[in-house]
Amino acid sequence: MGSASPEDPTPSKDEEACHLLSSSSLPSPSPSPLVDASLRKCLPEEEEEEEEEVAYESRDKILVVDIELDGADYSTVPPFSFKKLWLFTGPGFLMSIAFLDPGNLEGDLQAGAIAGYSLLWLLMWATAMGLLIQLLSARIGVATGKHLAELCREEYPNWARILLWFMAEVALIGADIQEVIGSAIAIQILSRGVLPLWAGVLITASDCFIFLLLENYGVRKLEAVFAVLILTMAISFAWMFGDTKPSRNELLIGLLVPKLSSRTIHQAVGVVGCVIMPHNVFLHSALVQSREIDPNKKGQVREALTYYSIESSVALLVSFMINVFVTTVFAKGFYGSKQADSIGLVNAGQYLQEKYGGGLFPILYIWGIGLLAAGQSSTITGTYAGQFIMGGFLNLRLKKWLRALITRSCAILPTVVVALIFNRSESSLDVLNEWLNVLQSIQIPFALIPLLTLVSKEQVMGVFRIGPTLEKVAWTVAALVIVINGYLLLDFFSSEVHGLLFGFLVCAGTVAYLAFILYLISRGGGPFSNWINIPLFKVFTTFGN
């Protein structure tokens, strides 16, 4: 009783739903990503093939068991479950790798060697600011079912979208060069100098194919590999911390007592600047979509946001501890020494070996293993981020192997050239690193401003838009990060710009750069938009629309 016989002409619920769906005129040939999965079978095959680029196909997503809620409105969140937390664990740890890449490690060791323990408090607060930005990135991905690059494609006019895509790609290439060269340095250390830097670069480039292999085994297998790499870093740098025995008292004072001097201001700017990586903001909003979550069901979204917040916080706590290990090891060994001003990734291992000697397992190779894990993990996540950035902004539907090959080639070709050119001396690699840090700093506003603009919009986020207080805090943090990186840019260009023509080009570029930033802010509707919404920018905004 209650089940229709085969001859029963009464249509089933699925048939009724299909009829309603087919009779309603969709505004575009592509079905909305919010259409329930059970209705997708009603759509014609041609329409399914024309779907827009997505971060993860439905078949690739992880089904979170027992996530369904009682009641049709899904307005309540079920009790906390460690089983569900485990199922949601993964995206935050992949995101945290950007806080542990070779560029960050170099910033840590230089901060420790030059400033001692005095900047640990700043590292802690910079990590907290980074956590806030990454939680907002996760929020926008979960609540909308789309990642940041896709939303930027829909939000901005074509000229602004292309500019944002170009800036994101440049930022990714800059980060990738640092990461690949960091891996190459580690390979050089572990091979006892047999393999030159360019050979290490080519070996590291092969991670693209490792990545493709891992993707074929599913998201959880990929996340497990990253967990092993993070564990390798944690063990290596904790071992170094135990061997060198930094002062516990000075460590606690450095964490709890803010201290800044004119001599350490450059390192302080570097500590903050290294934490916010533009490509990582785009990456995290896509990673959170690896779990099966329906944005239409508010209870599911709230539950997912809760678990993602917990696992992201734990992941960044682990990354913070690793950064503290590196900073304090070099603070103990080189603060106040003659090597402090010249230490970098290239010579750090040798300096450690000279300072602490061999032992059962030489500290040089422990450093090399940790650096290799940092470089390999960050280059693979860079490949991942490149796929989402290119696919989201340009709506490219390419096969995974082709898309990964394109994004890896965009970064690896300039990296090989750079490795060959700058592999002449340690000082030339230091110069390269300074330019790459500047390149990263330039790109930061073009990830933060779109993120805060979109996460504050009710039309985009619905009931999950951030409130006025959190919006003000987020914009203040973003402004602080942008100003700090602006100081780095000003300091760098004031010392590097020579000649009338070069100076004119830098000034013209700066004007265009600031104009685009102000345009993005004026579109955002945030607390700063009214300050700059002068008639000139009203015209600019109207032109952009």
Side-chain angles (χ1 to χ4, degrees):
M1 189 164 173
S3 60
S5 65
E7 296 79 25
D8 190 350
T10 305
S12 67
K13 288 183 179 180
D14 282 352
E15 290 171 336
E16 288 180 1
C18 288
H19 175 71
L20 289 172
L21 185 63
S22 60
S23 62
S24 63
S25 57
L26 291 171
S28 67
S30 302
S32 166
L34 303 184
V35 174
D36 190 90
S38 64
L39 301 182
R40 288 191 179 275
K41 59 189 176 185
C42 310
L43 298 171
E45 289 182 8
E46 311 86 66
E47 290 188 343
E48 287 193 19
E49 289 175 0
E50 293 178 10
E51 282 183 2
E52 293 184 342
E53 167 70 16
V54 292
Y56 295 90
E57 300 291 346
S58 296
R59 63 179 177 274
D60 297 329
K61 293 187 177 183
I62 297 169
L63 179 64
V64 180
V65 296
D66 195 28
I67 198 171
E68 294 290 331
L69 308 178
D70 293 330
D73 61 352
Y74 295 91
S75 58
T76 59
V77 180
F80 178 82
S81 164
F82 280 104
K83 181 180 180 181
K84 286 186 189 175
L85 178 60
W86 172 248
L87 291 172
F88 277 104
T89 298
F93 282 90
L94 267 69
M95 168 273 294
S96 73
I97 286 169
F99 290 69
L100 298 168
D101 70 357
N104 273 294
L105 297 182
E106 183 161 39
D108 292 338
L109 67 88
Q110 289 175 341
I114 295 172
Y117 301 86
S118 64
L119 295 181
L120 290 177
W121 66 274
L122 188 60
L123 175 62
M124 179 176 68
W125 284 106
T127 304
M129 289 193 295
L131 175 61
L132 172 62
I133 297 299
Q134 295 302 150
L135 290 180
L136 293 179
S137 175
R139 186 183 189 90
I140 203 169
V142 173
T144 65
K146 297 181 179 181
H147 58 82
L148 184 57
E150 291 175 310
L151 293 169
C152 286
R153 186 183 74 234
E154 298 173 358
E155 172 70 16
Y156 294 101
N158 284 338
W159 69 269
R161 171 177 61 86
I162 295 299
L163 261 180
L164 287 171
W165 167 70
F166 176 75
M167 294 296 188
E169 288 289 353
V170 169
L172 181 59
I173 290 171
D176 215 10
I177 291 174
Q178 285 182 312
E179 293 157 359
V180 170
I181 289 180
S183 286
I185 291 170
I187 291 170
Q188 196 173 40
I189 290 172
L190 296 174
S191 68
R192 298 186 177 185
V194 172
L195 294 174
L197 197 65
W198 63 266
V201 168
L202 294 177
I203 292 171
T204 305
S206 65
D207 67 19
C208 174
F209 303 101
I210 297 172
F211 168 74
L212 289 172
L213 180 65
L214 292 174
E215 265 204 318
N216 290 330
Y217 287 98
V219 175
R220 291 302 268 179
K221 302 292 190 303
L222 185 66
E223 290 170 351
V225 170
F226 283 110
V228 170
L229 291 171
I230 293 172
L231 182 62
T232 301
M233 281 186 270
I235 293 172
S236 299
F237 298 132
W239 189 324
M240 290 170 55
F241 182 86
D243 270 359
T244 56
K245 297 180 174 60
S247 169
R248 307 300 200 269
N249 291 336
E250 290 188 64
L251 191 159
L252 286 174
I253 292 171
L255 285 172
L256 301 176
V257 180
K259 191 185 300 182
L260 197 60
S261 67
S262 57
R263 186 174 182 273
T264 61
I265 189 69
H266 191 74
Q267 280 65 44
V269 170
V271 166
V272 177
C274 286
V275 165
I276 308 295
M277 303 290 283
H279 72 274
N280 208 37
V281 177
F282 289 98
L283 176 64
H284 199 199
S285 65
L287 291 175
V288 294
Q289 293 175 45
S290 58
R291 274 60 178 171
E292 190 71 55
I293 302 162
D294 186 346
N296 284 330
K297 298 173 181 176
K298 296 182 179 63
Q300 280 195 10
V301 173
R302 288 194 178 95
E303 182 180 46
L305 290 175
T306 299
Y307 288 120
Y308 279 138
S309 297
I310 295 171
E311 71 111 16
S312 296
S313 301
V314 172
L316 287 193
L317 177 62
V318 172
S319 74
F320 170 69
M321 292 174 63
I322 293 173
N323 284 316
V324 167
F325 289 154
V326 175
T327 303
T328 53
V329 164
F330 285 87
K332 170 67 185 302
F334 304 102
Y335 177 56
S337 69
K338 62 181 181 180
Q339 299 103 324
D341 292 322
S342 60
I343 198 165
L345 276 185
V346 179
N347 54 23
Q350 194 59 44
Y351 282 169
L352 284 168
Q353 187 73 1
E354 292 171 1
K355 180 76 175 180
Y356 296 105
L360 180 63
F361 197 65
I363 196 169
L364 170 66
Y365 299 119
I366 299 173
W367 166 253
I369 290 169
L371 181 59
L372 182 62
Q376 286 294 328
S377 58
S378 56
T379 50
I380 299 176
T381 53
T383 302
Y384 222 7
Q387 293 192 58
F388 296 133
I389 289 171
M390 182 176 287
F393 275 111
L394 304 183
N395 194 25
L396 296 179
R397 288 191 61 81
L398 301 174
K399 292 190 178 296
K400 286 182 180 180
W401 68 268
L402 181 59
R403 191 168 52 177
L405 189 61
I406 291 172
T407 54
R408 172 49 69 228
S409 299
C410 286
I412 210 66
L413 293 178
T415 303
V416 173
V417 173
V418 163
L420 291 172
I421 293 173
F422 286 88
N423 190 25
R424 297 173 184 172
S425 66
E426 293 176 6
S427 59
S428 63
L429 283 172
D430 289 339
V431 170
L432 170 65
N433 192 57
E434 284 186 21
W435 278 96
L436 291 174
N437 286 337
V438 167
L439 189 67
Q440 293 290 320
S441 300
I442 289 173
Q443 313 306 325
I444 284 176
F446 307 121
L448 292 188
I449 296 173
L451 171 67
L452 299 185
T453 295
L454 292 165
V455 82
S456 306
K457 277 195 170 185
E458 190 172 356
Q459 303 95 309
V460 175
M461 299 292 292
V463 297
F464 294 103
R465 74 175 293 273
I466 58 175
T469 302
L470 182 55
E471 183 181 1
K472 288 184 176 65
V473 171
W475 277 102
T476 302
V477 168
L480 184 61
V481 171
I482 292 171
V483 167
I484 288 172
N485 282 277
Y487 171 85
L488 175 64
L489 296 176
L490 183 64
D491 179 64
F492 179 80
F493 283 116
S494 63
S495 61
E496 294 291 331
V497 174
H498 304 291
L500 185 61
L501 178 60
F502 191 29
F504 173 76
L505 291 175
V506 169
C507 289
T510 301
V511 170
Y513 174 77
L514 292 175
F516 189 40
I517 289 176
L518 293 175
Y519 165 74
L520 293 175
I521 295 174
S522 69
R523 274 186 74 98
F528 301 108
S529 62
N530 293 331
W531 300 357
I532 63 169
N533 204 14
I534 57 177
L536 174 64
F537 283 98
K538 285 184 179 179
V539 173
F540 190 30
T541 306
T542 304
F543 171 75
N545 290 325

